[in-house]
Amino acid sequence: MTDTARIPLFPLGTALFPEGSLPLRIFEPRYRRMIAQCLKDHGSFGVCLIAAGREVGEPAVPYLLGTEAQIVSADHLRNGVVDIVVRGRRRFRVLDHELEEDGLLTGTVRWLADPAPQPIPAHLVEVVPLLERLIEKYGGGHVIEPHRFDDAVWVGTRYAEWLPLKAEAKQRLLEMDDPLERLEFVRDTLYELGMLPADPDAELRR
């Protein structure tokens, strides 16, 4: 498999994470064309968080690290509107991009290697029971199985998409290559939000 590809890019106000699920309503002509082509060719597109601009109207400027989106369902509504659900696959880095005539952004991307599953070290296992409860209570069909609560990559990524963080913080988590760095960020954030008991060692890590 080649490590580069040319794909359409969809700048959004939210980040998509690998193995994550994201519902989207498609109504702009440029993106309706993109979705129609993806459905016809069984292709995918790239989701990038917006660095500057807006989702609708003039083309936005995207961050250059995003996630491949695979369409898993599509519901065609009236007036050409399409409701889709996508699943996050590989991360990528945008090498170059350009606008097509209708404003659709396309780019050459380099696929980033998927991190290998990694055991959760003892000092971070405290985050797992909370995630289990959150998924049991709110996850429903939105969290793609299998659930890998023993994998630091999977646990950190699920928290990254669920935590109430600013978009820039989520982008930072998406860009992290070290699963343990991401999980430590998650653990510290859970303490700050009061979602875990007070951490007696917090001052020692400052």
Side-chain angles (χ1 to χ4, degrees):
M1 179 182 296
T2 180
D3 65 347
T4 62
R6 190 81 183 173
I7 61 172
L9 301 174
F10 197 165
L12 288 174
T14 186
L16 174 65
F17 288 84
E19 298 187 75
S21 179
L22 182 65
L24 296 169
R25 172 157 289 185
I26 309 299
F27 55 89
E28 287 194 81
R30 53 182 166 173
Y31 296 126
R32 284 159 46 187
R33 176 171 70 87
M34 176 188 76
I35 296 305
Q37 194 66 46
C38 287
L39 290 172
K40 177 182 177 182
D41 299 338
H42 303 286
S44 59
F45 60 94
V47 169
C48 297
L49 182 68
I50 292 174
R54 301 171 58 188
E55 289 184 356
V56 179
E58 291 297 316
V61 177
Y63 282 95
L64 297 183
L65 191 143
T67 302
E68 179 187 16
Q70 186 75 45
I71 301 171
V72 295
S73 69
D75 185 13
H76 292 78
L77 308 178
R78 298 175 62 183
N79 301 320
V81 175
V82 186
D83 279 350
I84 64 172
V85 176
V86 300
R87 177 180 182 178
R89 298 182 65 191
R90 300 168 286 182
R91 295 184 308 156
F92 60 79
R93 185 170 296 280
V94 179
L95 303 179
D96 63 63
H97 56 78
E98 64 181 12
L99 283 174
E100 298 190 351
E101 289 186 4
D102 61 358
L104 180 66
L105 191 66
T106 63
T108 301
V109 303
R110 174 176 291 120
W111 304 116
L112 303 180
D114 293 329
Q118 190 164 340
I120 299 176
H123 71 286
L124 294 174
V125 294
E126 62 186 316
V127 306
V128 175
L130 175 60
L131 183 62
E132 291 175 331
R133 294 195 299 272
L134 288 171
I135 289 178
E136 181 180 2
K137 187 172 183 179
Y138 302 109
H142 299 293
V143 181
I144 299 167
E145 295 185 350
H147 300 162
R148 302 193 303 277
F149 293 108
D150 59 347
D151 178 10
V153 178
W154 190 87
V155 170
T157 303
R158 299 289 71 75
Y159 266 122
E161 63 185 352
W162 277 34
L163 283 174
L165 299 171
K166 291 183 178 180
E168 294 79 6
K170 287 182 178 283
Q171 180 68 22
R172 176 185 170 190
L173 287 168
L174 179 64
E175 294 185 2
M176 287 181 181
D177 292 322
D178 183 349
L180 297 187
E181 179 186 5
R182 182 184 298 116
L183 202 54
E184 287 173 349
F185 183 101
V186 164
R187 186 266 319 273
D188 293 345
T189 301
L190 291 173
Y191 281 129
E192 292 173 4
L193 294 173
M195 298 176 72
L196 287 178
D199 178 11
D201 297 324
E203 290 299 323
L204 299 178
R205 293 197 300 271
R206 293 184 185 277

